[in-house]
Amino acid sequence: MKNSTFKSTIRFNRSKAAVLGLYLLIGTSLNAQFAFYLRPTVNMKTNKSTFGTLHQMNSYNSVTNEHFTFVNRPMFLDGHIDLGVNVGVQIKEKHFIELGISSDHSSIGRSLLTHSTVIDNETGESYMRDAYSHNTTSIYYWRISADYHNNFWKNKKETIAFRSMAGIGVLLNPSGNRNYSANGSASGPGLLSSDDFGFGIINENYGNDEMHQIEPDVFITDYVSEIEIYRGVSPYVKFGLGVDFSTKKDFHLFSFDVSYILNSIVVQQQESKITVMDHGTETNYRYNQSSRSSGLYFTLSRKFQVHPWIPLKRKKDQI
């Protein structure tokens, strides 16, 4: 009886010691090496579009004929502000790993320059006048990321810190892996109702006329775009630099990051059709543009540490 009681006591003490040791080990590791945080983000980006399709890209950015010049905008800000949140872990002092989700937009930009001949009613003289139309067509995505950050430099007061970053991720199209027309969103001076080809874009200088006269007996009768999407999931790589701003008491104020995301495949393709009626003869001009949704990202963020509540501080006796 005594022997059984003694063995039970030993087993109980061993269990208590094991649990206590595991608790101390985890607690010491978390407080000594790890810190968990949330980072809400606000993003703006530049988009890049290219003449061509998924199978053929062209290096030029404009095409000119006797009636107009159609311009692909190779790099532009589409004006969208995207919101997201990252969940991060700080490992020791310089290393950070973050998982994040954010909204994103793939955009294609184009401009139309029409060469119009205007006749002065009083003098009867004709003169040339150019009219511009700038438009973008954007498609909504979700961006899921996994990033590694390294704090490689701090000033002496530790109020400014620089980070390098690298990561991978995917763009997710909520519409899935399919092509479509007359969906998505378009921004510009005006948007007509969709027809059998897609979106109709009209220049604000056209007024309310159905036809835009550019010369005597020469009209632009139609200017529409068909939007297509390729692949619901597309992977990408990311690299960049970040700056963290803090007070002297280790209170984080905000961060500003500049990164470049390179997507591996085309995620948006668009064909524009411009119809010209020249002295009764109708000609259709078609131009293809593509976008990988690659570009520069500008990110403002604020880090909120959730464990431990007291931010990690470098020991004074460290060299």
Side-chain angles (χ1 to χ4, degrees):
M1 182 69 178
K2 290 182 179 180
N3 187 35
S4 175
T5 303
F6 178 74
K7 289 182 178 180
S8 298
T9 304
I10 291 178
R11 285 197 297 269
F12 177 73
N13 289 336
R14 284 178 178 174
S15 299
K16 286 176 63 178
V19 172
L20 180 61
L22 181 61
Y23 174 79
L24 290 175
L25 178 61
I26 295 175
T28 301
S29 298
L30 286 175
N31 286 280
Q33 297 183 10
F34 290 87
F36 296 94
Y37 58 89
L38 296 176
R39 186 195 296 273
T41 62
V42 179
N43 308 283
M44 287 193 70
K45 63 177 290 191
T46 64
N47 266 290
K48 180 181 180 181
S49 54
T50 308
F51 262 138
T53 65
L54 177 66
H55 307 289
Q56 180 181 1
M57 298 293 184
N58 297 310
S59 59
Y60 55 84
N61 285 311
S62 65
V63 177
T64 301
N65 58 47
E66 59 180 322
H67 304 302
F68 60 83
T69 298
F70 186 86
V71 180
N72 169 70
R73 297 166 66 185
M75 188 72 72
F76 59 96
L77 279 169
D78 63 9
H80 289 98
I81 296 177
D82 293 304
L83 304 179
V85 62
N86 293 357
V87 179
V89 56
Q90 177 179 347
I91 305 173
K92 294 186 177 180
E93 188 179 351
K94 295 185 176 181
H95 308 284
F96 304 82
I97 296 176
E98 295 185 4
L99 300 177
I101 184 169
S102 173
S103 59
D104 206 324
H105 286 82
S106 170
S107 298
I108 285 177
R110 61 199 182 279
S111 299
L112 183 68
L113 169 63
T114 57
H115 315 296
S116 301
T117 300
V118 180
I119 298 177
D120 191 320
N121 294 328
E122 295 182 0
T123 64
E125 296 182 359
S126 61
Y127 60 93
M128 294 296 297
R129 183 179 66 184
D130 294 333
Y132 286 91
S133 169
H134 302 288
N135 296 286
T136 61
T137 305
S138 300
I139 297 175
Y140 184 81
Y141 284 85
W142 285 105
R143 175 163 52 88
I144 298 176
S145 59
D147 300 332
Y148 167 72
H149 301 250
N150 181 275
N151 251 353
F152 64 88
W153 184 87
K154 286 184 178 181
N155 63 350
K156 291 183 179 180
K157 296 181 180 180
E158 299 190 356
T159 56
I160 300 176
F162 282 84
R163 290 175 287 108
S164 60
M165 68 183 76
I168 57 175
V170 293
L171 284 175
L172 299 177
N173 180 353
S175 301
N177 186 7
R178 64 188 182 93
N179 301 343
Y180 69 88
S181 299
N183 284 292
S185 62
S187 61
L191 182 64
L192 297 179
S193 59
S194 59
D195 61 10
D196 58 349
F197 189 76
F199 282 121
I201 309 297
I202 188 168
N203 186 347
E204 61 183 354
N205 294 317
Y206 292 4
N208 296 320
D209 296 335
E210 295 182 359
M211 296 189 299
H212 173 54
Q213 184 173 2
I214 56 176
E215 294 181 23
D217 294 325
V218 180
F219 303 86
I220 291 181
T221 62
D222 208 6
Y223 177 21
V224 294
S225 292
E226 181 183 42
I227 305 168
E228 299 175 336
I229 285 184
Y230 286 85
R231 291 180 174 83
V233 179
S234 52
Y236 68 82
V237 295
K238 171 184 177 181
F239 52 90
L241 291 173
V243 186
D244 301 321
F245 298 91
S246 305
T247 66
K248 294 180 180 179
K249 296 183 179 180
D250 284 348
F251 180 77
H252 179 66
L253 296 174
F254 67 94
S255 299
F256 178 70
D257 299 351
V258 178
S259 57
Y260 186 79
I261 284 183
L262 178 63
N263 201 43
S264 59
I265 57 177
V266 167
V267 299
Q268 179 182 356
Q269 184 173 311
Q270 185 165 314
E271 183 182 18
S272 296
K273 181 186 74 173
I274 303 172
T275 303
V276 176
M277 184 71 70
D278 186 352
H279 292 83
T281 301
E282 184 178 87
T283 304
N284 290 318
Y285 299 87
R286 295 177 182 265
Y287 304 100
N288 287 307
Q289 292 173 276
S290 302
S291 173
R292 297 177 182 268
S293 196
S294 300
L296 279 174
Y297 284 72
F298 305 94
T299 303
L300 279 175
S301 64
R302 168 76 165 84
K303 186 167 65 176
F304 296 92
Q305 188 164 300
V306 296
H307 180 87
W309 293 109
I310 300 176
L312 290 178
K313 295 183 179 179
R314 185 171 58 183
K315 295 180 180 180
K316 300 297 182 182
D317 56 352
Q318 285 184 344
I319 299 177

